[in-house]
Amino acid sequence: MKFIKNCFSFATCFILLIIASCNIEPYEDFINEDENLPDVIQAGTFKVDFDGQTFVADSPVATVIDNVINITGIKTSTNEGVILTVISNAEGTYQFGVTQNQVEVNAGAYNTNLKGTGETWSSVNDFSTSQGEVTITKIDQVNKTISGTFFFTGYHVSLPSKEFTNGVFTDVSFAAGLVTGTGNTFFAKVDGVEFVEDSVNGVATSLPGLSTIGISATKNSMETIGLSFDSDIDPGDYSFSGLSIPIAQYNLSLTDSNLGEGTFKIISHDKVNKRIVGTFQFTASPLLGGGASYEITEGSFDITYL
């Protein structure tokens, strides 16, 4: 039972790190890496039915980064958001909530307030049973838009599940690069060489059996240093010790994951203003055994998380 719970924690944290490194903000922070992509993004449509009503996003946005598609529908009046993450960059149908290697998980999630203390429902349950699916019907590389349909069952840590049905996104504009969080700082070295990230973000999320803060520093290649803590963590000295929260990860890609053992210090945690400051170091070793290990040193972060 402990192994299953720990695997749940690791796979869930991987989902949170994907969310953290993808765009869940409106358009002002997006990096235009394609000179043919307009500076002002023209959104398409994004809607889904749940709780007896239709959620219609007024700010849908997407990213297509190497082997990850992220599509987010935001209702700016309430900061509600529905986030779809697909480990692919191609058209097709993908199952939510199923993993074969405890690393790659497609996921749908709904948060009641992306900029506050929102509640989250996610298509994560037992990692072996599909909790829905998304079909990417068209990726228009000329106009930089993406379209498709989706549905999923969302699970909460303590509240009843929700059914998300008749989901559709049409001609949602996507960026080809990562977004950069504002006001966040991050530093670390990998085997003595500075890790120079293209994006650093933090997200507080509640999922079934787990409430965490995820910090993700990511390069455009999807090389990532990720940290996950309990959402109510207080200042003090702590350890990373494997699959249980807190977790440290160094991922060379979405399929090359290394789990950390080491120490970290929370210098301050302002739970009202959602700012966390700390330092860390850890040794990252392959999740499935074998292969090289990596030394992550001189780590520090000052993050205002969503």
Side-chain angles (χ1 to χ4, degrees), residues 23-28 41-47 55-63 70-83 114-115 169-174:
N23 186 5
I24 58 173
E25 290 279 2
Y27 311 130
E28 61 266 24
I41 304 234
Q42 300 298 317
T45 60
F46 184 109
K47 61 182 181 179
F55 171 92
V56 179
D58 51 28
S59 293
V61 66
T63 53
N70 187 78
I71 305 157
T72 302
I74 302 171
K75 185 181 291 187
T76 55
S77 61
T78 60
N79 291 322
E80 293 174 84
V82 176
I83 303 167
L114 289 171
K115 292 187 176 182
F169 49 93
T170 305
D171 296 331
V172 174
S173 296
F174 67 81

Side-chain angles (χ1 to χ4, degrees), residues 137-156:
T137 57
K138 184 177 182 181
I139 301 176
D140 186 339
Q141 295 289 356
V142 175
N143 296 305
K144 294 291 189 291
T145 60
I146 188 168
S147 301
T149 60
F150 67 94
F151 66 90
F152 65 90
T153 300
Y155 297 90
H156 186 276

Side-chain angles (χ1 to χ4, degrees), residues 30-32 37 41 61-65 144 173-179:
F30 132 83
I31 297 174
N32 186 350
L37 189 62
I41 304 234
V61 66
T63 53
V64 179
I65 309 167
K144 294 291 189 291
S173 296
F174 67 81
L178 294 174
V179 297

Side-chain angles (χ1 to χ4, degrees), residues 42-54:
Q42 300 298 317
T45 60
F46 184 109
K47 61 182 181 179
V48 62
D49 295 336
F50 65 94
D51 289 345
Q53 59 185 350
T54 299

Side-chain angles (χ1 to χ4, degrees), residues 161 284 286:
S161 62

Side-chain angles (χ1 to χ4, degrees), residues 92-111:
T93 298
Y94 304 91
Q95 302 302 306
F96 283 138
V98 178
T99 179
Q100 298 298 320
N101 56 12
Q102 302 171 11
V103 177
E104 295 183 341
V105 182
N106 303 313
Y110 163 69
N111 188 283

